[in-house]
Amino acid sequence: MSPADQPLSDNAFFIPFPGKHSSIPFAHDDESPHVVVVIPARYASTRFPGKPLHEINGRPMIEWIARKASQSDFVDEVIIATDDERIHDVMKSRGYDVRMTSGGARTGTDRMAEVASQMAGDIFVNLQSDEILSDSRILDQVIEPLLKDPRVPIATIRRKLANRMDRMNPNIVKVVCNQAQYALYFSRSVVPADRDEISPQRPDLSWDQHLGVYAYRRNVLLEFARLPTSPLEELEKLEQLRALDYGFSIFVARTEHESYRVDVPSDLDLLPRNDAAWT
């Protein structure tokens, strides 16, 4: 069955077009949702093999990410999800909750959904194993929309891009949102396009970088993971486009805090050197 023929479940998080929230609220069993951060990690990166275990300031990269997640005011539990025994053994020996997952996951979110399907929890946060947050408040800002508004099924985050070279970089994902802060599109290309080059004279016009952190309600995550890879996702290699392609709404919060994505070894040179960043 092609993605276009795939039947959709009759759930509140499907909406008629991107950029609109559901009119039907979600419900939790209690007034204090249980929030779980899952850090999907794989060893076999083609551009940076063994990346999660690469040592930075005396710790594996993934440990810095897990430590920052545990500092969030809203997070109750942090889990590392991997199909690699090397990552499992190193992080288990350091006292972290590590879950082994199957090797057939398409994306980190699919690996995260495998963990979510086997445990209780209300909100699951995908924090990628190469997304080094400068401040745990980034996680708070991603989670808070789901706590405040029962109609929000998925939330993620963005920050303003000031550098033209960053806008041109295909490794830096751009996001376009509507006036209500819901995502209209994500792309590796420069979107929106400044056709007449008016942005230098218009400080109100800017571009936003998408940071790879997502918060899902549990049933939304499980529904998302069962859907086939979408055409847009296949083209841009961005899993969040599967959500838009099938009609999920994604709220995009804004942050002023830095985040450092390590895609290739040379990105390590861009990490902060001050000790305050590594706490």
Side-chain angles (χ1 to χ4, degrees):
M1 181 180 293
S2 71
D5 297 327
Q6 178 74 14
L8 301 180
S9 296
D10 185 19
N11 281 316
F13 43 85
F14 289 115
I15 46 85
F17 55 88
K20 183 179 185 297
H21 61 58
S22 169
S23 60
I24 306 173
F26 293 87
H28 293 299
D29 293 335
D30 54 55
E31 295 182 356
S32 180
H34 188 77
V35 179
V36 182
V37 169
V38 180
I39 306 173
R42 64 189 186 95
Y43 194 91
S45 168
T46 55
R47 293 184 294 175
F48 194 164
K51 180 168 50 175
L53 296 182
H54 181 83
E55 190 170 294
I56 301 173
N57 286 6
R59 298 181 188 273
M61 183 189 305
I62 192 172
E63 185 170 9
W64 289 115
I65 293 163
R67 284 166 61 90
K68 193 66 69 175
S70 67
Q71 295 169 12
S72 167
D73 290 339
F74 297 139
V75 171
D76 299 299
E77 202 170 350
V78 178
I79 296 171
I80 295 169
T82 185
D83 61 353
D84 191 275
E85 292 184 359
R86 289 163 290 192
I87 295 173
H88 174 275
D89 293 348
V90 168
M91 297 309 293
K92 196 77 173 176
S93 70
R94 290 172 173 264
Y96 292 90
D97 185 348
V98 188
R99 310 285 177 93
M100 289 295 292
T101 58
S102 61
R106 293 170 292 177
T107 67
T109 303
D110 295 307
R111 193 180 309 282
M112 171 186 170
E114 185 177 336
V115 172
S117 69
Q118 300 170 8
M119 63 177 292
D122 299 300
I123 295 171
F124 285 81
V125 181
N126 181 350
L127 177 56
Q128 299 182 45
S129 63
D130 55 6
E131 189 81 40
I132 301 175
L133 307 181
S134 67
D135 197 303
S136 64
R137 283 175 290 184
I138 293 176
L139 286 172
D140 299 343
Q141 291 166 327
V142 172
I143 297 165
E144 192 171 26
L146 276 71
L147 300 178
K148 283 188 170 182
D149 190 340
R151 300 168 301 175
V152 176
I154 305 171
T156 187
I157 198 157
R158 57 180 163 157
R159 69 187 309 274
K160 186 172 289 188
L161 266 177
N163 188 307
R164 176 178 167 80
M165 294 304 296
D166 286 345
R167 297 201 300 265
M168 304 298 292
N169 186 346
N171 290 323
I172 295 177
V173 178
K174 277 67 70 175
V175 59
V176 178
C177 299
N178 68 4
Q179 297 295 321
Q181 299 190 67
Y182 281 87
L184 295 173
Y185 195 65
F186 300 84
S187 182
R188 298 185 182 278
S189 300
V190 183
V191 291
D194 186 3
R195 190 194 70 170
D196 296 329
E197 299 185 357
I198 62 174
S199 58
Q201 292 77 43
R202 289 283 303 276
D204 59 312
L205 301 178
S206 61
W207 286 260
D208 287 325
Q209 174 185 2
H210 173 237
L211 308 184
V213 186
Y214 305 88
Y216 298 83
R217 300 192 191 276
R218 184 178 184 273
N219 59 338
V220 174
L221 172 62
L222 299 181
E223 182 72 17
F224 173 84
R226 80 173 187 87
L227 294 171
T229 301
S230 81
L232 292 176
E233 178 185 8
E234 184 65 30
L235 282 170
E236 296 245 25
K237 298 298 185 285
L238 297 174
E239 60 190 298
Q240 63 269 38
L241 290 179
R242 189 193 324 168
L244 293 187
D245 226 356
Y246 283 100
F248 291 80
S249 55
I250 305 176
F251 185 88
V252 188
R254 185 176 290 283
T255 189
E256 301 300 323
H257 303 296
E258 293 278 359
S259 179
Y260 306 94
R261 183 71 181 269
V262 180
D263 289 305
V264 294
S266 60
D267 290 337
L268 296 169
D269 298 331
L270 304 177
L271 296 179
R273 300 300 177 186
N274 58 307
D275 292 339
W278 305 99
T279 57

